[in-house]
Amino acid sequence: MKRKTDENPSDDNLDERLHSLGKRLGKNQQVRLAEGSAKSDNAGFGNALRLSTEFVAAILVGAAIGYAIDRLAGTTPWAMIVFLLLGFVSGVLNVLRTAGELSHPHKQDGD
Amino acid sequence: MANDPIKQFHLNELIPLEIGGVDISFTNSSLFMVATVVLTSGFLIWATNGRGMVPSRAQSLAEISYEFVAGMLRDSAGSQGMKFFPLVFSLFLFILVANMFGMFPYFFTVTSHIIITVALALLVFLTVLGVGFLKHGFGFLKLFVPSGVPIVILPLVVAIEIISFLARPISHSVRLFANMLAGHITLKVFAGFVVSLSSFGAVGIAGSILPMLMTIGLTALEFLVAFLQAYVFTMLTCMYINDALHPGGH
């Protein structure tokens, strides 16, 4: 046993070697994961494609809600006006959120 | 007109069927949906059949697609989200393969019809609603109440958040549908230019090189868009599932 360690100190214990290999692999994997979430133009391009529809969809939903309330409550055109404006606001909010995810991809991991 | 750019989206009844007054004919769209499902499940079953420690080429492809979607889901919804992996993986593969099928000439693009994409988006939307209310009860409504907002403007903020939540299935479905539709129409129109220009003799044939180059470029772009739209759809699904699991995490 002792002679063996003298021969090659890093080779004496299979468990230890496996353990250190696992550690190194783990470190590599962590590095890879960190790179992974910041990676790739694909994600950026994908997010860019999202922006316009996010904005338009919120306006449409706002207008639809306003129209429905008007039809039900007979308050034409006030609910439509109010909810169309709210739709604009939430459209802008959606776009800002998408853009925010673009520039801080790590923020989401916290919650 | 020989090259009508809309004709490619026309639904043809292959096997007319009607049950109880409801038209459930087997159309070319159904055919390609079946083809998509058969191809994806057939490929995955065949590729993972060997279960080698050292994967074959097909098995690595299956493993790469698994890792890709699993990584996406784990990144945005955490390990809890892995319960929804079957749903997310099926959605991703269905959309990706349907989009790629659409890139073959004379093939039908399933995802260029809004009814399909709305059905997929509503599936995700209702899953999120159901899981959210099942897991958190009325605590799920915290999603609409951001923390740290003064009580005076809270009703306004809640209304805005609700509108932004309801806009999700619309933007989710319209994005996929509009990109596939617009891309295929553009491709067809530019390819049509080549044909109509080349009927004008030598000058026309020389001139048709330009739309030809454009068509080649657009084809490459369409392949990118076909993948990216599947990716974006899946990524958003992951993010919505994250909202269902952790409301109030804004």
Side-chain angles (χ1 to χ4, degrees):
Chain A
M1 180 79 184
K2 190 159 188 291
R3 205 181 58 214
K4 231 180 171 185
T5 44
D6 284 347
E7 267 173 24
N8 191 349
S10 67
D11 202 46
D12 64 339
N13 193 336
L14 188 62
D15 278 345
E16 210 170 87
R17 280 170 60 206
L18 272 177
H19 188 67
S20 77
L21 177 67
K23 240 190 204 162
R24 270 181 292 158
L25 278 177
K27 210 191 283 170
N28 275 347
Q29 199 169 24
Q30 266 169 10
V31 170
R32 226 176 48 203
L33 282 179
E35 280 171 357
S37 46
K39 67 167 179 201
S40 94
D41 303 326
N42 275 356
F45 194 21
N47 273 322
L49 286 175
R50 285 173 54 192
L51 289 174
S52 55
T53 35
E54 296 282 0
F55 185 58
V56 176
I59 297 172
L60 285 181
V61 168
I65 293 177
Y67 185 71
I69 292 179
D70 273 342
R71 284 293 290 275
L72 292 175
T75 50
T76 321
W78 299 108
M80 178 107 173
I81 294 174
V82 169
F83 275 90
L84 191 62
L85 289 176
L86 284 179
F88 268 111
V89 175
S90 57
V92 172
L93 183 73
N94 279 346
V95 169
L96 286 180
R97 264 194 196 137
T98 312
E101 282 155 20
L102 250 177
S103 50
H104 314 285
H106 290 290
K107 206 186 147 201
Q108 265 205 321
D109 300 352
D111 50 46
Chain B
M1 193 73 185
N3 50 356
D4 179 5
I6 305 293
K7 199 169 167 255
Q8 56 179 324
F9 305 116
H10 197 266
L11 286 173
N12 305 312
E13 291 181 2
L14 300 181
I15 307 171
L17 271 181
E18 198 173 304
I19 293 180
V22 182
D23 187 9
I24 53 160
S25 304
F26 192 82
T27 61
N28 50 353
S29 178
S30 331
L31 177 69
F32 276 98
M33 277 188 263
V34 170
T36 306
V37 172
V38 167
L39 181 76
T40 42
S41 27
F43 172 73
L44 284 178
I45 291 168
W46 170 72
T48 53
N49 212 10
R51 289 195 201 87
M53 265 302 273
V54 179
S56 61
R57 246 176 276 178
Q59 195 186 335
S60 339
L61 196 59
E63 282 176 9
I64 285 170
S65 53
Y66 172 91
E67 289 282 331
F68 181 68
V69 178
M72 218 188 317
L73 186 57
R74 227 179 263 123
D75 271 356
S76 48
S79 49
Q80 268 183 304
M82 287 307 282
K83 259 181 283 179
F84 298 94
F85 180 77
L87 172 72
V88 177
F89 192 55
S90 318
L91 277 176
F92 176 72
L93 280 189
F94 181 80
I95 294 171
L96 180 67
V97 174
N99 286 353
M100 286 301 176
F101 260 142
M103 291 309 295
F104 284 97
Y106 295 104
F107 275 28
F108 184 83
T109 320
V110 175
T111 43
S112 66
H113 277 242
I114 194 163
I115 187 70
I116 307 288
T117 59
V118 162
L120 295 176
L122 275 184
L123 175 71
V124 173
F125 184 72
L126 294 178
T127 309
V128 166
L129 274 186
V131 170
F133 277 114
L134 270 182
K135 269 190 90 94
H136 302 280
F138 284 100
F140 181 57
L141 297 176
K142 263 193 300 191
L143 188 63
F144 303 124
V145 189
S147 53
V149 176
I151 196 84
V152 187
I153 59 165
L154 196 62
L156 204 61
V157 171
V158 169
I160 291 170
E161 289 285 346
I162 288 177
I163 292 176
S164 129
F165 183 74
L166 291 179
R168 279 174 177 187
I170 295 180
S171 63
H172 205 184
S173 55
V174 167
R175 183 179 311 111
L176 176 59
F177 147 76
N179 272 289
M180 298 319 290
L181 183 82
H184 281 81
I185 289 178
T186 323
L187 205 54
K188 193 87 172 189
V189 166
F190 275 99
F193 282 162
V194 180
V195 180
S196 15
L197 267 179
S198 45
S199 64
F200 291 135
V203 183
I205 291 176
S208 70
I209 291 176
L210 289 175
M212 184 70 201
L213 289 177
M214 193 70 184
T215 311
I216 294 171
L218 277 175
T219 309
L221 183 72
E222 275 309 297
F223 273 110
L224 179 71
V225 167
F227 168 73
L228 270 182
Q229 287 305 322
Y231 171 77
V232 167
F233 195 97
T234 320
M235 193 182 61
L236 283 174
T237 305
C238 298
M239 285 169 52
Y240 296 163
I241 285 173
N242 180 43
D243 276 348
L245 294 173
H246 318 101
H250 272 309

